[in-house]
């Protein structure tokens, strides 16, 4: 468990407040996302050649998503941010957060609408319609749009 120390400068005592671990946050996000029909999601394992990769990876109706999770108050490392940027540049929808509520808000405001849009704009051969290809340059990869 991570610990955040709140120091009271008026005394010699300090209080330790426990926050959720990254493992707990990840478990709860995966549990919530897995309730959505049509989602394939998994926790990325660590190990050889995985340094800096986002914690959660998945796909919803043709939309690849990558999610980096942190404990409250922490931000991605430079390498983790670089990996998120690489995924974004390759067309994945990416985000990082330190809590379940923000992750689910992102998923419902970005990933699901884009997946539903793409599903409804496919030709008989499964390829996207020309109008859909023009439209997917929208706000789905803009983190500021989520809030």
């Amino acid at each position: 468990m991570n610990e955040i120390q709140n120091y009271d400068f008026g005394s010699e005592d300090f209080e330790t407040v426990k926050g959720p671990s990254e493992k707990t946050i990840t478990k709860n996000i995966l549990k919530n996302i897995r309730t959505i029909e049509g989602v394939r999601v998994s926790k990325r394992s660590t190990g050889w050649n995985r340094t800096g990769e986002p914690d959660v990876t998945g796909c919803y109706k043709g939309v690849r998503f990558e999610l980096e999770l942190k404990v409250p108050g922490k931000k991605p490392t430079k390498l983790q941010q670089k990996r998120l940027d690489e995924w974004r540049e390759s067309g994945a929808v990416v985000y990082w957060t330190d809590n379940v509520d923000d992750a689910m808000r992102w998923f419902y405001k970005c990933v699901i609408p884009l997946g539903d849009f793409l599903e409804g704009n496919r030709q008989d051969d499964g390829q996207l319609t020309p109008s859909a290809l023009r439209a997917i340059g929208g706000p789905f990869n803009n983190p500021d749009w989520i809030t």
Side-chain angles (χ1 to χ4, degrees), residues 1 8 42 62 70-71 75 91 101 119 138:
M1 235 356 139
D8 178 2
S42 62
K70 306 306 289 179
V71 295
K75 294 184 177 185
D101 289 343
E119 181 183 54

Side-chain angles (χ1 to χ4, degrees), residues 54-115:
D55 298 308
V56 173
T57 185
C59 189
Y60 175 73
K61 297 182 180 180
V63 177
R64 175 69 180 254
F65 60 89
E66 299 289 332
L67 181 59
E68 176 62 35
L69 305 171
K70 306 306 289 179
V71 295
K74 297 291 183 182
K75 294 184 177 185
T77 65
K78 288 181 183 180
L79 179 59
Q80 289 169 330
Q81 188 59 57
K82 179 182 176 193
R83 296 289 186 254
L84 288 171
D85 292 342
E86 290 169 349
W87 278 109
R88 182 179 289 113
E89 290 167 8
S90 72
V93 179
V94 303
Y95 191 60
W96 77 266
T97 187
D98 63 4
N99 67 80
V100 176
D101 289 343
D102 283 352
M104 296 312 297
R105 187 176 300 111
W106 164 76
F107 202 83
Y108 278 98
K109 288 184 84 173
C110 295
V111 178
I112 288 178
L114 183 55

Side-chain angles (χ1 to χ4, degrees), residues 8-36:
D8 178 2
F9 290 99
S11 72
E12 294 299 318
D13 299 328
F14 62 91
E15 173 186 352
T16 299
V17 180
K18 294 190 183 267
S21 67
E22 189 173 305
K23 181 178 180 179
T24 299
I25 294 169
T26 302
K27 179 181 171 186
N28 287 329
I29 289 171
L30 288 171
K31 179 181 172 185
N32 279 282
I33 290 176
R34 286 180 176 142
T35 65
I36 301 165

